[in-house]
């Protein structure tokens, strides 16, 4: 009986080496995922909604009145009138940073916006922002409602919306399809 053996090493070896290299360094995929997460958070600011499509609570009557009079630095930041929610100085949205490594991707709030972001993500019934000195009078203080802009619970659990998960799955499928023979 005759045997026929075909060796495909010359043709398969580059494909296997390429696949192995890509699996060792997922940096391009993680970069794309971090961009998807960053865009998701920025979309929440543009739409003034939570990651799950729930509109943010409007400004309180006190805040609206202050803006109408040019308060909260209104005179130096565009004059009198309305202001978008969570975008008074730009520090919070400017502090959102997308980062990635060879095996992780995430978006976080950095710098001076961390405490401010926490207050707006989860709310603050006592209305004591970190920059308010203890004992300072706040006669017009009102509870700050939660206006979640990131898909994170108070316990620190990430709960991505379905459409963001679908985008990540699509990115991963495209990434891994590149080295299929």
């Amino acid at each position: 009986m005759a045997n026929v053996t075909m060796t495909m090493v010359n043709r398969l070896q580059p494909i296997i080496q390429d696949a192995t290299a890509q699996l060792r360094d997922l940096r391009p995929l993680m970069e794309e995922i971090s961009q998807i997460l960053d865009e998701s958070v920025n979309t929440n600011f543009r739409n003034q909604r939570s990651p799950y499509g729930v509109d943010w609570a409007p400004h309180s009557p006190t805040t609206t009145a202050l803006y109408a009079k040019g308060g909260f630095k209104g005179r130096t930041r565009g004059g009198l009138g309305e202001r978008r929610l969570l975008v008074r100085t730009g520090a919070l949205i400017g502090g959102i940073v997308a980062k990635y490594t060879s095996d992780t991707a995430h978006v976080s709030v950095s710098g001076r916006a961390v405490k401010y972001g926490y207050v707006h993500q989860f709310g603050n019934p006592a209305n004591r922002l970190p920059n308010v000195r203890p004992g300072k009078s706040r006669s017009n203080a009102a509870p700050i409602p939660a206006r979640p802009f990131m898909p994170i619970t108070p316990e620190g659990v990430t709960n991505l919306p379905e459409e963001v998960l679908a985008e990540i799955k699509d990115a991963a499928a495209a990434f891994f399809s590149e080295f299929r023979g």
Side-chain angles (χ1 to χ4, degrees):
M1 175 179 266
N3 288 328
V4 177
T5 304
M6 292 179 41
T7 306
M8 300 283 289
V9 172
N10 290 343
R11 295 188 76 192
L12 289 177
Q13 192 160 359
I15 294 169
I16 292 169
Q17 286 174 336
D18 185 42
T20 303
Q22 286 190 38
L23 289 174
R24 282 193 193 124
D25 185 12
L26 299 175
R27 194 174 305 270
L29 175 60
M30 294 300 122
E31 179 181 15
E32 187 168 352
I33 291 172
S34 72
Q35 290 170 354
I36 291 168
L37 295 172
D38 187 50
E39 178 56 29
S40 171
V41 172
N42 280 289
T43 297
N44 297 335
F45 275 89
R46 273 193 306 278
N47 296 337
Q48 298 190 50
R49 291 188 177 137
S50 79
Y52 313 104
V54 177
D55 288 343
W56 288 340
H59 288 300
S60 72
T62 301
T63 301
T64 302
L66 280 168
Y67 282 149
K69 294 177 185 176
F72 282 146
K73 302 184 181 182
R75 290 185 189 96
T76 60
R77 300 213 179 262
L80 307 178
E82 269 186 52
R83 296 287 185 271
R84 291 185 58 79
L85 295 166
L86 304 189
V87 187
R88 181 167 42 133
T89 66
L92 179 55
I93 196 166
I96 295 170
V97 179
K99 293 184 180 181
Y100 62 93
T101 66
S102 62
D103 61 356
T104 63
H106 69 273
V107 175
S108 61
V109 178
S110 65
R112 64 185 189 157
V114 171
K115 291 179 182 176
Y116 181 69
Y118 186 89
V119 166
H120 287 295
Q121 176 74 23
F122 304 113
N124 184 350
N127 192 5
R128 295 292 178 259
L129 288 172
N131 60 348
V132 175
R133 284 174 259 135
K136 185 176 177 185
S137 173
R138 296 277 309 259
S139 61
N140 60 354
I144 298 174
R147 294 182 178 112
F149 52 92
M150 296 183 84
I152 299 173
T153 67
E155 296 77 35
V157 176
T158 301
N159 185 14
L160 294 174
E162 287 300 319
E163 60 272 9
V164 175
L165 280 173
E167 278 188 72
I168 291 171
K169 287 176 184 176
D170 289 347
F175 176 80
F176 290 115
S177 71
E178 289 180 17
F179 63 86
R180 286 188 191 154

